[in-house]
């Protein structure tokens, strides 16, 4: 194959990448990996149990097997691969809920609006659905709960990495601002028996918190509220994990200012987000940036851009801890 043919094939593959996404979403939705938990099975056997169309299922499994999701045996049956294992519901680190919810048409329709957004500078989600993303989830609580669950599954392993990377030894209280169901706060409290913590998020979100476990008894509280209005005062450490990327610069400064007002003079703030690197290599932060462009009004940012937001809010950026491609910690104090 000459170079021009190879480049053509690469471009064609990129242009139909949505078919991989659609197939993966379908596999997560119908819990196909769970059907293979006990070993290889034929597509016909799987279809009979799940109430699906056997020939269509076989074609989908064959397609995904070509991308490392599932494997087709010599006898035609299908089996799990390491990637497919993560689509199981009941395994540590399961990503089934995350993959499933991102197959919802709120994401597909928003992505389809990207072409017009390049002309208008608008937000595709709001053009399609008539309101901001989080307001929509608040109005559609079943979908909102599914989204919260998906983000919790994505964050579970990362939360422990973040908790391990930062030294909380000098702190006594931690406030997780916009902390969802509290997975990050739970990881921090588990690793630091001397700490007490406060979780802040919207009331319907914190109602499903995961902090009520015996080992954390008496060391936490969950507060329903809006971080644009008020942030619980007096914490030694404030955390904003995967919050700022969801908002434009002006709102980010507003959130940071609210945390600064709540902090004591010797308090610290931890901004946890993926940082967009220089160069042309693929990076998770660049995928996040496209999600922000199509669904929210936020954006992926470089380290320098996040530090500038902190300065505008009267905070002095400090040490930076690179935890993973999905998260770096920028520490800040009152400026």
């Amino acid at each position: 194959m000459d170079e021009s043919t190879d480049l053509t094939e690469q471009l064609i593959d990129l242009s139909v990448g949505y078919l991989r996404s659609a197939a993966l979403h379908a596999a997560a939705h119908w819990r196909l990996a769970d059907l293979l938990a006990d070993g290889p099975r034929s597509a016909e056997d799987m279809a009979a149990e799940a109430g699906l169309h056997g020939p269509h299922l076989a074609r989908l499994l064959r397609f995904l097997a070509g991308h490392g999701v599932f494997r087709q045996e010599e006898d035609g049956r299908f089996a799990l691969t390491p990637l497919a294992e993560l689509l199981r519901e009941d395994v540590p680190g399961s990503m089934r809920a995350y993959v499933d919810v991102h197959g919802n048409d709120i994401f597909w329709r928003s992505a389809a609006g990207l072409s017009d957004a390049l002309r208008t500078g608008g937000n595709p989600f709001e053009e399609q659905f008539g309101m901001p993303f989080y307001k929509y989830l608040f109005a559609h609580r079943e979908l909102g709960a599914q989204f919260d669950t998906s983000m919790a599954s994505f964050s579970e392993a990362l939360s422990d990495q973040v908790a391990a990377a930062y030294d909380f030894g000098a702190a006594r209280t931690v406030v997780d601002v916009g902390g969802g169901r509290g997975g990050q706060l739970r990881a921090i409290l588990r690793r630091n028996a001397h700490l007490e913590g406060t979780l802040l998020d919207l009331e319907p979100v914190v109602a499903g918190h995961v902090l009520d476990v015996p080992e954390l008894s008496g060391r936490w509280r969950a507060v329903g509220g809006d971080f644009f209005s008020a942030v619980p005062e007096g914490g030694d450490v404030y955390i904003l994990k995967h919050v700022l990327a969801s908002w434009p610069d002006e709102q980010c400064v507003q959130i940071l200012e609210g945390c600064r007002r709540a902090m004591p003079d010797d308090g610290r703030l931890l901004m946890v987000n993926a940082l967009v690197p220089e160069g042309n290599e693929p990076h998770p932060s660049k995928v996040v940036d496209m999600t922000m462009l199509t669904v929210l009004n936020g954006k992926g940012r470089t380290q320098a851009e996040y530090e500038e937001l902190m300065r505008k809010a009267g905070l002095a950026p400090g040490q930076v801890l690179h935890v993973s491609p999905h998260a770096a910690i920028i520490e800040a104090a009152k400026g």
Side-chain angles (χ1 to χ4, degrees), residues 29-206:
H29 179 77
W30 292 109
R31 292 172 164 81
L32 300 184
D34 289 326
L35 296 175
L36 294 170
D38 294 329
R41 299 174 69 178
S42 69
E44 291 77 11
D45 187 31
M46 295 169 66
E49 180 175 338
L52 302 176
H53 185 270
H56 279 16
L57 178 59
R59 292 161 67 184
L60 180 136
L61 290 168
R62 180 180 63 185
F63 174 69
L64 286 175
H67 296 282
V69 186
F70 305 112
R71 182 182 69 253
Q72 189 166 24
E73 308 284 26
E74 291 185 2
D75 62 6
R77 295 182 302 164
F78 291 93
L80 294 175
T81 63
L83 274 177
E85 284 281 354
L86 292 177
L87 290 178
R88 290 178 56 190
E89 184 74 44
D90 58 351
V91 297
S94 171
M95 293 296 293
R96 195 208 67 80
Y98 184 91
V99 174
D100 187 21
V101 81
H102 281 82
N104 191 284
D105 75 338
I106 61 172
F107 296 102
W108 284 95
R109 288 169 59 184
S110 297
L114 181 57
S115 182
D116 277 347
L118 292 177
R119 175 178 55 83
T120 66
N123 177 262
F125 181 91
E126 293 182 18
E127 291 292 329
Q128 289 286 336
F129 297 96
M131 64 182 75
F133 179 73
Y134 285 120
K135 186 175 181 180
Y136 185 91
L137 293 185
F138 190 82
H140 298 80
R141 280 315 305 157
E142 182 177 352
L143 177 60
Q146 292 172 3
F147 180 77
D148 294 340
T149 298
S150 78
M151 295 310 295
S153 67
F154 165 72
S155 293
E156 185 171 353
L158 185 60
S159 292
D160 196 57
Q161 293 173 336
V162 170
Y166 187 79
D167 182 2
F168 291 91
R172 290 294 175 266
T173 56
V174 176
V175 181
D176 193 353
V177 179
R181 295 182 177 180
Q184 181 62 73
L185 183 59
R186 181 180 62 182
I188 292 170
L189 295 180
R190 279 176 166 167
R191 281 185 170 270
N192 298 273
H194 66 287
L195 285 178
E196 295 184 356
T198 298
L199 172 67
L200 172 72
D201 213 310
L202 297 175
E203 186 65 48
V205 178
V206 298

Side-chain angles (χ1 to χ4, degrees), residues 258-275:
C259 292
R260 185 185 184 281
R261 286 192 297 270
M263 291 165 56
D265 289 342
D266 60 350
R268 293 291 183 270
L269 181 141
L270 308 181
M271 190 287 302
V272 183
N273 264 115
L275 302 180

